[in-house]
Amino acid sequence: MKGKLFLRHAAGIVFVLGFFTVCWSAAYFLTSLYAGGLTNQIPDYVRQLVTVVLGYVLAGMVMAVIGFFARSKQRAVWQSLYDALRRIAKGDFNVNLQVKPGEHHPLGQLVESINHMAVELSQMEKMRQEFISNVSHEIQSPLTSIGGFARALQNDRLSREERLHYLGIIETECQRLSKLSENLLKLTSLESDHHPFEPKRYRLDRQLRQVILACEPQWVDKAIDMDVSLEEVNVVADEELMSQVWVNLLHNSVKFTPNGGSITIRLERHGQDVIVCVADTGIGIAEEDQPHLFERFYKADKSRNRSSGGSGLGLSIVKKIVDMHHGTISVKSKPGEGAAFTVTLPVEP
């Protein structure tokens, strides 16, 4: 890099010297041509002075012409930059400046930065539109059900059992809306810089055992066999946030594991990390769906998630909380063979 920079400066110096040499040589020949008959009448000092002045005049004229065209080109570059920034300010992010003043030119770096900014803003706008579309869809579905069954309840010929059934559906859909709103607020809060984060030292194995016992009615109702192995481990983390992680992972395993299946929960310490694995014998996840599992509103099995009231935000919340603790989460799964979620956390952040 330094060698290229040295060669570039050396070439510039040679160019400047050559340029002035050509200008002064032209001035010398012009002076000799027009003052040839006056050679004996004009002192050498005056002749040399005229040659020098004429050389500077020629150099100035050439530089003025070059500067005119250079300014025109630079003016066009700046105008394209202004136009691109105006388009971005108005919300048009389809900007791709083709102007290339040079790799190391300050304008070249500015053009590259504007193109990069336009790409990033375009991706953010796309994500915003997808987010609004997903939220609208998730809200519209229960509202449609609530409206439909509310109209059905206006029929006086319905029996008491039918009314109770419809009212139960309306209540379930209202709970679904409430859960969606709660998860959206939770995710928004986690992504802000103002969400309380209070790490402290506590027993992770005790927390996992409490979560498993709290979910006992769900897995007992489906006759699920729980295989639990928890090593005694102390961690420094936000206990309330991490409880949300384990609850979401365990609820998902119970939700997608058929009656009579099994769920395995392991907690082990490896060096300065703790590893928690929650594995089930459920329906599994297709390979093409696994990279998108932690995206907002993503549903690998949309029909099953709708029937079970999922909104596709639970794993997004889990991923965000794990990231806040400088940990990682991964999934291994095959359709029909269950899924295993592995969370790795540092013992101390």
Side-chain angles (χ1 to χ4, degrees), residues 98-116:
Q98 300 297 328
V99 181
K100 296 182 179 180
E103 181 181 357
H104 301 285
H105 194 282
L107 276 181
Q109 298 176 7
L110 180 59
V111 168
E112 184 180 352
S113 298
I114 291 177
N115 286 336
H116 179 70

Side-chain angles (χ1 to χ4, degrees), residues 52-102:
V52 171
V53 171
L54 184 58
Y56 277 116
V57 170
L58 289 175
M61 292 174 62
V62 173
M63 286 189 291
V65 173
I66 295 175
F68 174 77
F69 289 105
R71 281 194 301 272
S72 299
K73 183 178 180 181
Q74 194 174 45
R75 195 180 301 114
V77 172
W78 281 109
Q79 187 61 46
S80 64
L81 294 180
Y82 295 147
D83 293 340
L85 292 174
R86 289 193 188 98
R87 289 173 59 187
I88 292 175
K90 293 179 179 179
D92 180 9
F93 305 126
N94 295 319
V95 173
N96 185 20
L97 294 171
Q98 300 297 328
V99 181
K100 296 182 179 180

Side-chain angles (χ1 to χ4, degrees), residues 244-272:
Q244 181 77 50
V245 171
W246 314 130
V247 168
N248 283 358
L249 291 178
L250 186 53
H251 278 184
N252 278 350
S253 291
V254 173
K255 182 192 305 180
F256 297 116
T257 300
N259 293 345
S262 64
I263 295 177
T264 302
I265 300 177
R266 295 281 185 268
L267 167 60
E268 299 174 347
R269 174 166 179 169
H270 291 275
Q272 296 302 311

